[in-house]
Amino acid sequence: MAAVAVIAAGAGYFASRLLSPPRDPGASMTVRLSAADAKPVSDPTQLLGQHRPDFSLLDAAGRPVSADAYNGRALLINFWATWCEPCVEEMPMLAEFQRDHAARVTVAGIAVDDPERARAFGRELAIGYPLLFGQPEAMRVGRSYGNHSGMLPYSVLVDASGIIRWTHLGIVDRDQLEAQLAALPERDG
């Protein structure tokens, strides 16, 4: 059932990109992404045990935030979009997970969506974790973290030392996150 939802979300995204009119009449809705933009990883599990790729995206206030901003603490990166029903479904649970584990992990949502629409959506839902924006940059970041299909939601857990420990395509549940967080090594020093 989850696989069907993920496939439907991916199909919905591409359909919305083709059918939605551009915001700016002079702007193209085509996003060209080449394989050279991402590491050549065909299986996200190949990233396990590797240092996380760097990125720089904008926060809700328009300030650049790099992956280095999260050094020294665990990071759960969740790639999402406003049109992705499973993404929206899991966001309240992710906010609760962030609140319950704020001393150990930061949840960061990376919107693979129109930045203005995603910012407004995040404000409306009052998501209690950082949201980052930038299209097509967010799509390139997703690929560098192993999501070459572009399907959503997609989550990556990075330990406090910056090592990728878990990747997951599809909606996550609280028990999965609790188990993955418990399995993370404690930070040295």
Side-chain angles (χ1 to χ4, degrees), residues 78-142:
N78 178 258
F79 294 89
W80 68 282
T82 58
W83 47 261
C84 169
E85 195 170 311
C87 300
V88 174
E89 181 182 325
E90 74 182 356
M91 289 176 95
M93 182 276 298
L94 293 173
E96 182 179 294
F97 183 78
Q98 167 69 54
R99 279 190 304 276
D100 292 349
H101 296 288
R104 183 143 189 237
V105 66
T106 296
V107 175
I110 296 181
V112 182
D113 203 334
D114 173 75
E116 291 308 312
R117 183 179 352 177
R119 275 188 194 95
F121 186 82
R123 281 191 304 270
E124 181 182 318
L125 285 184
I127 298 300
Y129 54 87
L131 298 178
L132 303 174
F133 311 94
Q135 189 181 19
E137 296 85 5
M139 294 175 79
R140 283 192 281 272
V141 172

Side-chain angles (χ1 to χ4, degrees), residues 3-19 83-84 149-152:
V4 171
V6 170
I7 291 168
Y13 170 73
F14 291 110
S16 74
R17 302 310 297 164
L18 291 172
L19 300 175
W83 47 261
C84 169
S149 68
M151 297 177 78
L152 298 172

